Amino acid sequence: MINCDLLIIAVPFTDTDKPLQAPAILKAVVEKHGYTAQTYDLNYDFSKSKHKDIDFLKQYFSLGTTNYHNKIIVAEDYVSDMASMLLEAFDPKFIAVSVFTYQCQTFAMLLAQHLKKLNPEIKIIFGGQGLSTQGIQSSDAWAKECKQLGLIDHYIISEGEQALVNLLKHGKGKGIDNTDWEQKLDIDNIPYPNYENYNLEKYDNKTLMITGSRGCVRRCTFCDIHKHWKRFVFRSGQSIANEMIYQSKKYQTYQFNFTDSLINGSMKAYRDFISVLSKHNNSTDKKLTWGGQFIVRGISAMTENDWVMTKQAGAESLALGIESGSEEVRNHMKKQFSDQDLDEFMEQAHKNNVALTFLMILGYPTETQENFLQTLKMFKRYKKYQSVIEGVVLGTTLGILPGTPLAEELIEDIQMNDGENFWTYKKNPYLDFRERIKRRIITGEECVKMGYKVQGDRSNYKLLHYLWNIYKNKQKQNVIDLNTDDLRQQKYS
Amino acid sequence: MMKIKFDLFVNNYNGGPKIRVYNNDQVVLQKVLTGFGHQTLELEADLKCPTKLTIEHYDKNMKRDTKLEDGKIVSDKGFTLEKIHMDNFVLENELYHFNFIKEDGGEIANNNYIGFNGKYVIDIDSEDLLTWYYKLQKIFINDNNTFDYDQFKEEIFKGEHCEVEY
């Protein structure tokens, strides 16, 4: 049995084949402060489970409900076995449970319940963005309830690095059992994630996550990131590159994926980063590759030389928030790039063979029929670049989240109709939920006809169908599907 | 103690509907709703989850207590469940989710008008109200397994063509 101050666990259900980053970061952070920590990825075990009721378990853990009440005992037994296994292997003082999305809540609650039964002395902490159920800005109601029920001893809202150390040291602090968390402004000194307890060889996708920045330089009208992280903070390019090089040598893993809202938010840091990494890649056979979310910039902001170095530095898959083929719509969104910027960007990506994924929003409040057709025209125009457009994410239709500029600035003209997806806009009344679904369907079909690979199409249609049924039955929309570790998908759910 | 409030619309033909409210098998309220129109019933009950909260409509004579004219119902003994408040949680559209079990055992789904004798049962099948309420909000997604893209598209376009020129 392994004694430790802290056992950090990732719990199901997150639909990923990659190692989850949070436990590795927290392990490194608390060890830096002299505590002993172990990590365990229960989500990985679950993803590889050959359990005969795995489909039922996935659904039950994700949604916390089932029509097959007699099977709930199967889920209880599975979690009970996991709790026993953990406490046979580890003897921790604290157990921190990483609740990555709200779809980890059911498992987390059951696990805490069983752990408390087995050993009520162990202090249980919940943390992670999954503590909130509706958007990144929502409250701590669920976590507070878990605490009141005695399932957990503490919960940590948002960034956990400093809060967890404060909790271990002092038993209290900002963001601990309250929403009064404080953004960390210096993220250069966070220790590198420690994956020692992960069996990285076993993961199907040997990609490590890396964080170069938090927050965003933009204030896109549909997004609430800037409300959560008030400041855009970023690491130096050298620091990011150093971490990637160090981790690749330590873990023999050469693929990385950025968790950032955008990789090239600070062009200075970005240039430093690609400069160091392109030199590294030019001097080794084990070249590093990376991907993540990227801002579209015209050639004046991102030069031909930047593009050459971007390729040499290992850029492999960049996700672009294009959102609309209409410059007018993008201007309203405050995306801050023109059609010309986009054309220049596409030309360079194609020339340098950097793969791209388009993230789109169908049915923005100001989107007219003409604007909508401009999106289709854009796809037609970029057919010539299809060799580097590896995917198009159309999502469902735009949901207006609390805390976004759309929700706040258009409050007089937007009617929510009992659901974030059901809104109507007084100045564009034709664009109701049905019309938005129509545009979504048409775009999906046209993209496929043009030869684009539309990602996650069936699950998006299923979700739309589900929302449509709520809408037409005049029910209230309460569930947001965040069943993925992929920000590209989460954003549109 | 849990505060429970029922918002009802009552049709009071022939003296009005008689109702009983149960916490599991224990009657916590019994009343004849003699007035017509919107009414509120409030009570406090020691509900320990999991439990079943049941609203029973009883003693209605289906021959005498419904007034028909030319085959149409013009007056009735019964009530519409408009809202149920349980502490801070409110069930409104969610009320369509629960079935009404008639005294002959037949079930009526997707209905909040209680016009027959029988029991409307809210099965609170969780250890606490919050967990149950979250489950209730999510439960509808379970019905989404039978998704058919073509049918969905047809429903959205309602026969309109979906070809566009661009």
Side-chain angles (χ1 to χ4, degrees):
Chain A
M1 187 181 278
I2 302 170
N3 283 297
C4 54
D5 295 314
L6 179 68
L7 172 62
I8 310 158
I9 303 165
V11 294
F13 176 66
T14 303
D15 191 9
T16 183
D17 52 4
K18 300 181 196 123
L20 291 163
Q21 185 194 31
I25 293 180
L26 295 173
K27 176 179 165 68
V29 167
V30 299
E31 284 182 343
K32 188 180 168 188
H33 285 82
Y35 295 96
T36 53
Q38 295 284 320
T39 61
Y40 198 96
D41 188 353
L42 282 178
N43 190 61
Y44 170 79
D45 286 2
F46 184 68
S47 71
K48 292 292 170 195
S49 171
K50 304 285 182 207
H51 197 290
K52 66 182 173 57
D53 287 313
I54 192 70
D55 289 339
F56 160 75
L57 290 174
K58 276 182 188 172
Q59 176 170 307
Y60 185 68
F61 292 146
S62 305
L63 307 173
T65 183
T66 179
N67 290 330
Y68 310 107
H69 287 200
N70 57 337
K71 277 198 168 181
I72 290 176
I73 190 70
V74 177
E76 294 265 358
D77 286 347
Y78 181 87
V79 181
S80 172
D81 289 347
M82 291 296 113
S84 301
M85 179 273 292
L86 287 172
L87 295 193
E88 279 164 20
F90 301 98
D91 182 18
K93 295 186 184 94
F94 290 83
I95 294 179
V97 180
S98 170
V99 187
F100 187 57
T101 76
Y102 90 90
Q103 297 199 298
C104 304
Q105 287 182 355
T106 300
F107 193 100
M109 282 178 93
L110 288 173
L111 182 68
Q113 199 178 336
H114 285 286
L115 289 170
K116 281 283 181 193
K117 264 188 214 160
L118 291 170
N119 187 346
E121 298 302 311
I122 298 175
K123 303 283 183 206
I124 298 178
I125 308 158
F126 278 2
Q129 298 298 1
L131 263 55
S132 56
T133 48
Q134 272 192 306
I136 203 166
Q137 274 296 100
S138 68
S139 75
D140 59 346
W142 176 76
K144 198 181 274 177
E145 184 71 17
C146 289
K147 190 168 185 304
Q148 281 166 1
L149 290 170
L151 295 177
I152 60 171
D153 297 280
H154 298 288
Y155 61 89
I156 291 174
I157 293 291
S158 197
E159 295 181 354
E161 294 96 340
Q162 190 58 49
L164 187 56
V165 173
N166 288 342
L167 179 54
L168 295 177
K169 276 187 183 169
H170 313 298
K172 60 183 180 180
K174 289 194 169 182
I176 300 168
D177 304 333
N178 59 57
T179 53
D180 187 24
W181 68 282
E182 201 166 56
Q183 184 179 3
K184 199 168 171 51
L185 298 180
D186 177 11
I187 58 170
D188 251 335
N189 292 324
I190 296 174
Y192 300 161
N194 184 333
Y195 292 97
E196 274 171 11
N197 302 137
Y198 289 64
N199 193 345
L200 293 175
E201 277 303 305
K202 284 189 176 174
Y203 286 82
D204 292 339
N205 189 331
K206 292 168 185 53
T207 299
L208 295 182
M209 307 306 282
I210 183 154
T211 301
S213 66
R214 284 178 184 164
C216 190
V217 291
R218 296 280 194 262
R219 295 286 182 273
C220 296
T221 53
F222 52 83
C223 182
D224 59 354
I225 286 288
H226 64 276
K227 277 277 181 139
H228 187 74
W229 278 290
K230 308 278 186 228
R231 299 266 303 270
F232 175 67
V233 294
F234 57 95
R235 296 166 61 182
S236 70
Q238 180 79 51
S239 161
I240 300 167
N242 286 350
E243 177 178 332
M244 288 167 70
I245 294 165
Y246 174 87
Q247 297 287 60
S248 69
K249 286 179 181 163
K250 186 172 178 185
Y251 299 114
Q252 306 296 303
T253 300
Y254 305 99
Q255 278 179 297
F256 292 84
N257 201 56
F258 281 84
T259 62
D260 307 32
S261 291
L262 66 181
I263 301 171
N264 58 339
S266 158
M267 276 310 287
K268 183 186 179 308
Y270 180 71
R271 283 197 180 103
D272 290 345
F273 165 66
I274 54 176
S275 166
V276 177
L277 223 52
S278 57
K279 273 184 204 147
H280 172 82
N281 276 352
N282 287 334
S283 66
T284 179
D285 290 338
K286 292 176 175 169
K287 297 187 192 308
L288 305 188
T289 59
W290 48 272
Q293 298 193 102
F294 213 76
I295 296 184
V296 172
R297 293 189 187 275
I299 202 70
S300 59
M302 190 160 160
T303 64
E304 289 197 38
N305 188 47
D306 291 333
W307 273 103
V308 171
M309 282 215 289
T310 293
K311 181 62 185 175
Q312 288 175 354
E316 197 166 60
S317 181
L318 305 180
L320 304 175
I322 305 281
E323 325 300 1
S324 171
S326 157
E327 189 172 305
E328 191 184 334
V329 170
R330 290 198 311 271
N331 284 343
H332 194 277
M333 291 174 168
K334 299 192 168 57
K335 292 297 295 184
Q336 298 183 32
F337 63 87
S338 64
D339 283 346
Q340 189 184 332
D341 292 333
L342 183 55
D343 286 345
E344 289 167 358
F345 187 96
M346 290 305 300
E347 191 186 336
Q348 288 300 318
H350 184 251
K351 188 175 164 187
N352 291 284
N353 196 25
V354 175
L356 307 172
T357 299
F358 280 21
L359 311 179
M360 304 299 297
I361 291 177
L362 274 306
Y364 185 77
T366 62
E367 183 187 89
T368 61
Q369 180 68 12
E370 180 54 33
N371 296 148
F372 165 59
L373 294 177
Q374 283 168 344
T375 293
L376 296 178
K377 283 176 188 165
M378 176 195 77
F379 280 116
K380 200 173 178 180
R381 196 165 74 241
Y382 290 159
K383 268 177 73 175
K384 61 185 174 185
Y385 299 137
Q386 265 184 1
S387 60
V388 293
I389 303 173
E390 62 181 9
V392 174
V393 177
L394 298 174
T396 54
T397 58
L398 175 71
I400 297 183
L401 291 169
T404 58
L406 268 184
E408 290 174 354
E409 289 164 20
L410 300 186
I411 193 164
E412 297 294 316
D413 298 320
I414 291 272
Q415 194 175 338
M416 293 305 290
N417 305 320
D418 280 344
E420 68 182 49
N421 283 81
F422 305 156
W423 52 267
T424 42
Y425 180 44
K426 209 193 290 179
K427 294 179 180 170
N428 193 10
Y430 180 68
L431 186 68
D432 60 6
F433 188 41
R434 181 192 289 272
E435 177 59 25
R436 294 196 287 276
I437 298 175
K438 279 185 191 176
R439 291 182 187 182
R440 169 62 183 84
I441 289 173
I442 291 169
T443 310
E445 292 192 353
E446 292 301 313
C447 279
V448 170
K449 275 187 215 164
M450 284 187 261
Y452 290 100
K453 188 182 168 205
V454 180
Q455 295 178 354
D457 223 18
R458 186 165 171 83
S459 60
N460 285 320
Y461 282 130
K462 276 186 82 171
L463 182 56
L464 266 182
H465 176 246
Y466 160 66
L467 294 172
W468 173 251
N469 282 332
I470 294 174
Y471 178 75
K472 76 176 181 191
N473 290 328
K474 299 190 177 358
Q475 293 169 328
K476 288 180 186 171
Q477 180 188 355
N478 282 293
V479 178
I480 298 174
D481 184 358
L482 297 174
N483 181 21
T484 171
D485 69 327
D486 188 340
L487 282 172
R488 291 177 297 181
Q489 300 285 351
Q490 287 186 7
K491 189 175 167 185
Y492 296 96
S493 295
Chain B
M1 297 294 275
M2 187 186 291
K3 286 183 181 170
I4 302 170
K5 188 170 91 172
F6 299 95
D7 293 345
L8 310 170
F9 188 94
V10 177
N11 290 318
N12 64 339
Y13 185 60
N14 257 0
K18 295 175 183 172
I19 71 161
R20 288 190 196 108
V21 178
Y22 298 83
N23 171 20
N24 275 337
D25 296 329
Q26 184 198 358
V27 177
V28 291
L29 179 82
Q30 183 162 359
K31 194 161 183 171
V32 182
L33 306 171
T34 52
F36 174 81
H38 291 288
Q39 290 183 39
T40 300
L41 293 181
E42 289 187 68
L43 65 124
E44 286 197 4
D46 189 17
L47 256 70
K48 296 271 191 308
C49 299
T51 186
K52 284 181 181 166
L53 182 70
T54 303
I55 301 113
E56 183 186 23
H57 181 208
Y58 68 98
D59 210 19
K60 175 177 178 181
N61 184 316
M62 296 306 293
K63 289 180 183 163
R64 281 201 320 265
D65 293 339
T66 301
K67 188 179 179 185
L68 296 173
E69 282 178 10
D70 299 329
K72 288 181 183 168
I73 297 173
V74 293
S75 194
D76 194 18
K77 182 186 278 189
F79 57 96
T80 303
L81 279 168
E82 294 182 325
K83 283 183 191 173
I84 299 179
H85 307 250
M86 290 189 279
D87 281 345
N88 296 323
F89 301 100
V90 184
L91 306 179
E92 188 176 0
N93 296 307
E94 294 86 349
L95 292 173
Y96 293 98
H97 174 70
F98 304 101
N99 286 358
F100 178 77
I101 303 158
K102 295 197 292 181
E103 60 183 352
D104 65 5
E107 290 194 18
I108 302 175
N110 301 318
N111 173 51
N112 64 339
Y113 181 68
I114 313 297
F116 292 99
N117 288 327
K119 290 179 176 176
Y120 179 88
V121 182
I122 299 174
D123 187 1
I124 305 171
D125 57 348
S126 297
E127 295 295 320
D128 62 277
L129 205 58
L130 178 84
T131 309
W132 173 76
Y133 188 74
Y134 280 157
K135 276 167 57 174
L136 186 64
Q137 298 308 306
K138 295 171 187 171
I139 206 162
F140 303 104
I141 207 164
N142 277 334
D143 299 331
N144 208 27
N145 293 331
T146 53
F147 172 69
D148 181 305
Y149 175 75
D150 292 326
Q151 269 181 16
F152 178 47
K153 186 177 161 187
E154 198 176 303
E155 185 178 348
I156 293 297
F157 282 88
K158 290 194 292 192
E160 290 172 25
H161 73 100
C162 58
E163 302 297 318
V164 287
E165 295 290 326
Y166 57 94

